[in-house]
Amino acid sequence: MSIRKLSYVFLLCLSAFALTGCEDNEDGGLPQTVKSYGPIEAETLNWSHWKWGIGSHINDGTSTTFVCNRDSVGGGYAAAFTVNEPNSSTMLTFFVDDQFDVTAFFVGTSSKYNADIYTVRQNGGNIYLTGNADGETKHSTYALQFPYGNPASSDPFAAVAASVLSFCQNINFLSERLGAYGRDFIYKAASGDYATQPIYKGQTLLPIYDAVCDLNNLDAIRRQIMGESTVDLDPSAILYGKGTDGKSYVTVRTNVYAPAETFNRTPDTGVYGSSKPLRLYCGLLVGQHNVLGAGNALYDLKGEEVFSGKEQSQTFELPDLAPGIYYVRPYLIAEDELQAQATGKANPRLLLYAEDTRAYLALDARLGEIEMTDCYYVANQGVSADLRIPVSVPKIPDIPLSYNNTFTHGSWGIAILFPHNDFSETSIFNRMEAFNGVLEASVYPLTRDFQVDHENFIAKVDLEATLFCYAGNERIILDSRPFTVVYDKKPELRFTSAELVQDFYPQGGDPTKTEDAIRSEQIISGAFWFESDIKSMEEHNGHITEMGSRFRQDFREPQIETDFYRHFLTYDIKTEKLYMETVVNGQPFRSNALHYTWSDDGSRIIRVEVEE
């Protein structure tokens, strides 16, 4: 027989000895020993999310249960002992780490609101407790008289039961709470013989596993450490996903409002419970469970120290993730727990977690090299650039969320990240299906963001195209690609042709008769450089008259205008010359002119010529 097996046998013998030595009346009328018991039906356990459990019927109104399961969010195991009587119930809840050391327990119910809560640290020959009972936090020390932890058993349920049983025998008020019957009952699970018993089909009022394993169940003690601090994903951060460097990032925001000192939870460094300076650090969990904790995270990324009294942001670089659905959850951790993580002895419920996990997607999605096909200036808007964007993206999966939210369907789109962190979706959005090809879109950078070369008439702005998706309410960057918008149209105002025509006047003229008009073709380009609207100027006998203006704007094609001059001042003053004018680099900038020749009687224009 191995040493580990001998230790386990010794532990069970010690437990049995303690059971037979109990006083007669400590259970308030309960039997001293368990007469009959058995494993609880799997269906009953599954309904409350427990994996193992035993139950016993004591009398018509009284039953007892002991249940256990992996603590999926915190790591290790969770177990609960209950005695249900007609008018009352007793519940003890325990958390046990992977070395089968008890790390925390509740006395009362599985709810933090109705229970006295305790955190546990075993070190050397002592067990150290910090408890919050009736709103008051106290520290206490117990000598380790009955060694526990790490029992040699291939049955986790039996190992947890043995650890709980021996732990309670070291803590007198817990041993009294269990009573002789409770100790004997948990011993049945620790012995491993429960599997051979008939299935228990009696009354079972089991605690709900999810409530028992809530990571906030030590909140009253944690607040003594963290104060009113908060941690979450930074809502102002544009980058949540892949950057232009091909790496993925998540930005975390912290607001630390904590006391300057905390109580010592590392007995090796000082008196347990004594005051010491508080140091807090930020971290980020990454995993594939929508309720994420230290027990089910794939990665635990360590951040920097955070300081009280101010808001701070930290950006975490994510590891390379295989394509799939992930979740992230930031947290704050004190120095004591950070050091204890190295030995696996950190209590996960003393960390302060963000309220919810947030969805994150790692997908094989890419943007190709972006081509700018045209760039022009639009009136009252600014520069508009036409793009061709190669895109490869799979169908975005639906996302299971950890909170009630109807927006679980995924969609993707393309947005532009402008200077000053302005995120603007393009006309490509809310796409549901996979796509592999080239899409066209337009972008509208602000004039103030351009780097301008007035001498050579070149303006540039560096932008970033992002392929993003919505997973639930999270906007995730799947890929990013930098590109440059170049506006290099030279300022140009020019008449290219003009002719006399007969046409129907559209503004209330006789629809059966044509009228004299001048039809001209003109080029207006490089409006980015225009410092004023474009004015129409007419001359007669050396006098210059402004006849109107238009917004500055590039026209992709030559503009055709028909001037029914008999209806305007042109006819009254007998205009001889027409040209366009604006301001470029502080100086007047004019087009070539149209020259009019009037009939001898001044009744009509008989010739129009385009100035070279």
Side-chain angles (χ1 to χ4, degrees):
M1 184 179 292
S2 68
I3 294 176
R4 287 168 58 90
K5 186 65 175 177
L6 284 171
S7 299
Y8 185 51
V9 170
F10 173 76
L11 174 60
L12 293 181
C13 290
L14 182 63
S15 300
F17 174 79
L19 294 176
T20 59
C22 297
E23 62 270 24
D24 291 339
N25 297 319
E26 61 178 341
D27 285 0
L30 293 180
Q32 296 296 294
T33 58
V34 178
K35 300 300 182 183
S36 63
Y37 74 101
I40 299 172
E41 289 182 300
E43 182 178 358
T44 302
L45 291 170
N46 291 338
W47 189 86
S48 297
H49 298 167
W50 297 102
K51 185 173 183 179
W52 306 283
I54 58 173
S56 176
H57 174 74
I58 300 174
N59 53 45
D60 289 344
T62 304
S63 64
T64 184
T65 59
F66 182 69
V67 292
C68 179
N69 199 354
R70 288 286 302 180
D71 179 3
S72 61
V73 291
Y77 299 86
F81 167 76
T82 59
V83 176
N84 294 298
E85 299 180 89
N87 299 314
S88 64
S89 64
T90 297
M91 179 176 294
L92 298 175
T93 306
F94 300 89
F95 294 95
V96 179
D97 65 21
D98 286 321
Q99 289 79 45
F100 297 99
D101 287 341
V102 174
T103 60
F105 63 92
F106 308 152
V107 178
T109 73
S110 61
S111 168
K112 64 182 179 181
Y113 302 107
N114 300 308
D116 296 338
I117 59 175
Y118 296 83
T119 181
V120 181
R121 183 69 185 271
Q122 180 183 340
N123 188 71
N126 292 316
I127 299 174
Y128 301 93
L129 302 185
T130 295
N132 185 279
D134 301 323
E136 186 178 358
T137 299
K138 294 182 179 180
H139 310 290
S140 54
T141 303
Y142 293 82
L144 183 62
Q145 300 178 17
F146 300 94
Y148 73 97
N150 213 19
S153 174
S154 60
D155 180 354
F157 184 35
V160 169
S163 178
V164 167
L165 181 60
S166 53
F167 173 77
C168 289
Q169 290 177 188
N170 286 284
I171 313 299
N172 54 1
F173 70 90
L174 279 179
S175 183
E176 292 171 1
R177 280 285 188 139
L178 278 179
Y181 185 88
R183 292 192 293 270
D184 190 30
F185 184 65
I186 296 177
Y187 171 76
K188 301 300 185 185
S191 69
D193 292 337
Y194 66 91
T196 63
Q197 302 297 312
I199 296 294
Y200 172 73
K201 297 183 179 181
Q203 178 185 4
T204 52
L205 295 175
L206 303 182
I208 302 300
Y209 167 85
D210 293 339
V212 169
C213 292
D214 187 339
L215 285 174
N216 293 317
N217 275 340
L218 289 179
D219 183 58
I221 296 177
R222 187 184 62 202
R223 283 178 178 272
Q224 300 292 320
I225 304 169
M226 304 284 187
E228 299 300 321
S229 302
T230 62
V231 59
D232 58 4
L233 295 185
D234 191 341
S236 66
I238 296 296
L239 181 55
Y240 178 63
K242 187 175 291 186
T244 55
D245 59 0
K247 299 177 181 179
S248 296
Y249 299 93
V250 169
T251 301
V252 173
R253 177 182 65 179
T254 58
N255 282 284
V256 178
Y257 298 99
E261 293 189 335
T262 184
F263 61 90
N264 180 40
R265 298 175 297 285
T266 309
D268 288 338
T269 64
V271 177
Y272 184 88
S274 61
S275 294
K276 61 180 292 186
L278 174 66
R279 300 184 69 179
L280 292 177
Y281 299 84
C282 186
L284 181 72
L285 301 176
V286 183
Q288 292 187 295
H289 293 266
N290 59 2
V291 179
L292 192 60
N296 55 16
L298 298 175
Y299 301 95
D300 186 350
L301 308 181
K302 304 301 182 186
E304 301 172 355
E305 186 174 2
V306 294
F307 300 95
S308 187
K310 61 180 180 178
E311 180 178 304
Q312 298 168 258
S313 290
Q314 292 187 34
T315 298
F316 290 80
E317 179 184 333
L318 300 185
D320 291 334
L321 301 173
I325 301 172
Y326 295 86
Y327 298 87
V328 297
R329 192 175 198 180
Y331 66 87
L332 290 178
I333 184 171
E335 184 179 35
D336 282 329
E337 282 65 52
L338 185 64
Q339 293 174 350
Q341 281 185 338
T343 59
K345 291 300 181 182
N347 191 322
R349 286 171 175 78
L350 292 182
L351 279 60
L352 175 62
Y353 300 89
E355 184 176 354
D356 286 305
T357 55
R358 297 299 183 185
Y360 182 87
L361 289 181
L363 298 177
D364 185 13
R366 299 179 304 280
L367 293 176
E369 195 70 30
I370 297 171
E371 176 189 1
M372 189 186 77
T373 57
D374 199 1
C375 187
Y376 47 94
Y377 192 90
V378 179
N380 297 320
Q381 180 174 295
V383 172
S384 176
D386 295 338
L387 307 177
R388 284 172 51 85
I389 308 173
V391 182
S392 177
V393 59
K395 180 177 174 60
I396 308 301
D398 292 345
I399 308 297
L401 299 176
S402 62
Y403 45 90
N404 184 22
N405 191 315
T406 58
F407 299 99
T408 59
H409 299 299
S411 64
W412 62 272
I414 294 176
I416 303 300
L417 183 60
F418 292 100
H420 316 297
N421 285 336
D422 294 326
F423 185 95
S424 177
E425 295 185 13
T426 67
S427 57
I428 304 168
F429 68 97
N430 203 29
R431 301 290 183 98
M432 300 293 183
E433 301 303 320
F435 181 83
N436 187 15
V438 176
L439 295 171
E440 295 182 348
S442 297
V443 297
Y444 311 96
L446 296 177
T447 301
R448 68 168 185 258
D449 292 332
F450 280 85
Q451 297 176 347
V452 178
D453 179 351
H454 289 278
E455 181 178 351
N456 296 301
F457 297 111
I458 297 175
K460 298 180 179 181
V461 59
D462 294 326
L463 303 177
E464 185 178 317
T466 62
L467 174 61
F468 70 93
C469 72
Y470 281 109
N473 277 347
E474 307 308 321
R475 185 181 67 204
I476 303 165
I477 306 301
L478 301 175
D479 196 17
S480 297
R481 172 79 62 163
F483 69 99
T484 301
V485 169
V486 179
Y487 185 95
D488 56 3
K489 288 179 169 59
K490 304 299 186 285
E492 184 176 14
L493 296 175
R494 182 163 58 93
F495 289 102
T496 58
S497 66
E499 61 179 339
L500 299 175
V501 297
Q502 290 284 313
D503 207 344
F504 296 100
Y505 182 56
Q507 304 295 325
D510 188 340
T512 65
K513 295 181 180 181
T514 59
E515 298 185 20
D516 290 336
I518 300 170
R519 182 167 294 154
S520 63
E521 183 180 273
Q522 52 201 246
I523 292 176
I524 300 176
S525 185
F528 180 90
W529 310 105
F530 299 171
E531 297 167 18
S532 71
D533 291 336
I534 303 166
K535 300 176 182 179
S536 293
M537 311 299 292
E538 298 188 8
E539 287 188 18
H540 172 67
N541 290 333
H543 296 286
I544 300 174
T545 302
E546 180 182 334
M547 301 297 287
S549 65
R550 69 181 75 182
F551 294 121
R552 51 185 176 143
Q553 155 169 341
D554 290 336
F555 292 94
R556 300 195 189 196
E557 303 292 338
Q559 286 295 104
I560 306 296
E561 286 193 354
T562 302
D563 181 9
F564 293 88
Y565 61 89
R566 288 179 180 272
H567 295 272
F568 301 102
L569 189 61
T570 300
Y571 185 80
D572 296 333
I573 66 174
K574 301 299 185 283
T575 296
E576 298 170 348
K577 184 168 69 172
L578 166 70
Y579 59 89
M580 297 175 285
E581 182 180 81
T582 185
V583 177
V584 174
N585 288 339
Q587 301 297 319
F589 183 81
R590 296 179 179 178
S591 71
N592 58 342
L594 298 182
H595 293 269
Y596 301 155
T597 300
W598 291 81
S599 63
D600 291 340
D601 62 1
S603 62
R604 59 192 300 238
I605 295 174
I606 60 175
R607 185 168 65 247
V608 59
E609 297 175 284
V610 180
E611 184 179 83
E612 295 297 330

